[in-house]
Amino acid sequence: MRNSPLQGRFCLYKLTEEEDGDVGVDTSFFRVSRGIPGNHPLKVLIRVYIVSASNLHPADPDGKADPYIVLRLGKNEIKDRDNYIPKQLNPVFGRSFEFHATFPQESLLSMLIYDHDLVGGDDLIGETHIDLENRFYSRHRATCGLPTEYSVDNGLDDPDFRPGRITVADSVFVGNTLFMHDGEPLETYEHLSLKILHRWVEIPAVGCQLVPEHIETRTLFNKARPGMDQGQVQMWVDMFPMDLPHPGPAVDISPRKPKGYELRIIIWNTEDVILEDSNFLTGQQSSDIYVKGWLKGLEEDQQETDVHYNSLTGEGNFNWRFVFPFNYLPAEKVVVVRKRESIFCLDKTEQKLPAVLVLQVWDFERLSSDDFLGTVEVDLHSFPQGAKTAKSCKVDMFIDGTERISIFQQKRARGWWPFSKSGELTVHTHTHTHM
């Protein structure tokens, strides 16, 4: 028997409701067209969330960029030029946008990032494209929202919530459930529940690896530089058919606002300060001691004590207060600094820096530059408790496993701290710190 090729054409025709009813049996299981979208336009509400971008290609001569977002869908365009972020290659946008689209006519979403320029046209940094219609009909796309109730369809009993522990399927998860909120204790199971979801693969029988988030990271490209990565953007898209009830307001993803804090430091005394000066008549050693301090990133707010003149023993008495106001993000544990990089910059650049206090001891000189005697850098989130006396104050306090404290939690700290120069102990300083 000889096999012969067959040349032909297959055509699919959708039955009308009357013709479908005349068949007499349910043939939906055998239909090859099952799951194919209807042959009519579909109106959809599109929400685009742009979280942040990273590693953007520099677009300005100073090696920075002033990025902003442009979205295009069909004939619609949203240009967010007024909300550009100055001097940033890793901007946090925190912006959301809405479109009304009709599938299949409007299905290709273009997300572009431009560089804002005061003179001339704006430069394209990079772009990415998403086929929304293809994604809408995919069974594997991320959907909006999380269920508000625990599902028992998997055969598991309801979880058992008790202070400090949650039991799921005979597995016990232990963690902190008591937190401080606005100075008051608050019991919440959200943190421990999130821990369980991250470890859901450990649950017997029904455990699986869950997707931690639906935010996608997309690579940006530019036709002027083919094949070269121009950066990445973190975003996600939600789509809702217009024939369903309104989904409610969009998710607020605007960046966190820093809170105003004030750090107060009282410089009481110094001990064992190196004596740098020598009297040309008597040869007696002495120092004219003063202390200066600032927060890293806020050097222009540097403050100094008065001068303790002619200290013969290395002891200085001040009773002087420093006050440092600053903006702080508790969730990220960073100090937010906004300032112009130079006098020629029109916009302020935002920087996020660790909360570090710098204190230095100097010897005042009338006819020459002051002599540096010692310094200490204190991480306000983790620094050793101050020594009770000057004799017990050692440089090893910042090196060994001494118990650490956070001024943001303890609010107050008092004691002696060592100042060093080239790794050697040079000064003991008695201070009182208050947040």
Side-chain angles (χ1 to χ4, degrees), residues 335-375:
V335 175
V336 179
V337 180
R338 290 179 56 86
K339 59 183 179 181
R340 292 182 175 87
E341 294 184 349
S342 68
I343 59 175
F344 303 103
C345 294
L346 299 178
D347 301 301
K348 292 183 178 180
T349 303
E350 181 178 290
Q351 290 181 299
K352 295 181 179 179
L353 304 172
V356 176
L357 170 69
V358 180
L359 294 175
Q360 295 181 349
V361 176
W362 290 75
D363 174 43
F364 176 76
E365 298 288 347
R366 292 179 175 82
L367 302 178
S368 62
S369 59
D370 296 347
D371 298 324
F372 171 70
L373 301 181
T375 184

Side-chain angles (χ1 to χ4, degrees), residues 274-339:
I274 295 177
L275 304 179
E276 288 283 334
D277 300 333
S278 178
N279 191 301
F280 69 94
L281 295 178
T282 63
Q284 190 174 26
Q285 300 289 112
S286 66
S287 279
D288 301 325
I289 308 167
Y290 72 94
V291 181
K292 65 170 65 173
W294 66 89
L295 287 173
K296 275 194 173 180
L298 297 172
E299 286 79 7
E300 65 278 3
D301 192 26
Q302 174 182 297
Q303 300 178 35
E304 299 178 359
T305 66
D306 57 356
V307 180
H308 183 107
Y309 289 101
N310 198 31
S311 172
L312 303 179
T313 61
E315 177 183 357
N317 299 303
F318 300 97
N319 191 17
W320 193 277
R321 173 179 288 183
F322 294 154
V323 178
F324 300 109
F326 62 97
N327 293 319
Y328 179 73
L329 274 177
E332 301 180 31
K333 297 183 178 180
V334 292
V335 175
V336 179
V337 180
R338 290 179 56 86
K339 59 183 179 181

Side-chain angles (χ1 to χ4, degrees), residues 271 386-394 397 415-417 428-430:
E271 292 277 358
K388 294 183 179 180
T389 62
K391 292 183 179 180
S392 61
C393 182
K394 306 295 183 183
M397 292 170 52
W416 292 86
W417 278 273
H428 301 120
T429 302
H430 187 206

Side-chain angles (χ1 to χ4, degrees), residues 60-80:
D60 293 335
D62 60 358
K64 298 292 183 64
D66 308 314
Y68 68 89
I69 301 167
V70 175
L71 294 175
R72 294 173 185 157
L73 180 61
K75 296 181 179 180
N76 299 319
E77 180 181 77
I78 297 178
K79 184 176 289 188
D80 200 32

Side-chain angles (χ1 to χ4, degrees), residues 4-165:
S4 301
L6 172 66
Q7 183 178 7
R9 181 176 64 176
F10 291 93
C11 296
L12 299 177
Y13 299 95
K14 185 175 182 180
L15 297 176
T16 64
E17 294 182 0
E18 297 178 357
E19 294 173 334
D20 195 11
D22 294 339
V23 176
V25 294
D26 184 11
T27 59
S28 60
F29 180 79
F30 303 102
R31 288 180 186 165
V32 295
S33 61
R34 187 163 59 93
I36 296 178
N39 192 24
H40 55 83
L42 178 64
K43 294 184 178 180
V44 183
L45 172 64
I46 309 294
R47 285 179 177 166
V48 183
Y49 297 88
I50 311 296
V51 181
S52 63
S54 58
N55 303 319
L56 294 180
H57 190 279
D60 293 335
D62 60 358
K64 298 292 183 64
D66 308 314
Y68 68 89
I69 301 167
V70 175
L71 294 175
R72 294 173 185 157
L73 180 61
K75 296 181 179 180
N76 299 319
E77 180 181 77
I78 297 178
K79 184 176 289 188
D80 200 32
R81 192 173 189 269
D82 293 337
N83 294 306
Y84 73 94
I85 300 180
K87 307 297 180 183
Q88 273 290 346
L89 298 179
N90 299 282
V92 178
F93 293 109
R95 302 284 294 165
S96 61
F97 308 91
E98 281 194 1
F99 288 99
H100 288 86
T102 303
F103 293 161
Q105 290 89 338
E106 303 164 328
S107 62
L108 185 63
L109 172 68
S110 298
M111 202 291 297
L112 308 93
I113 294 184
Y114 276 85
D115 172 58
H116 179 279
D117 289 324
L118 292 176
V119 180
D122 295 343
D123 302 319
L124 174 65
I125 296 177
E127 59 184 318
T128 185
H129 305 279
I130 302 175
D131 188 338
L132 295 181
E133 183 187 22
N134 181 60
R135 178 171 296 194
F136 180 80
Y137 289 113
S138 171
R139 297 181 181 180
H140 306 287
R141 70 180 177 93
T143 55
C144 177
L146 295 173
T148 56
E149 297 181 357
Y150 180 80
S151 174
V152 295
D153 295 338
N154 50 25
L156 300 179
D157 295 331
D158 291 350
D160 179 39
F161 296 91
R162 296 186 181 183
R165 57 184 289 178

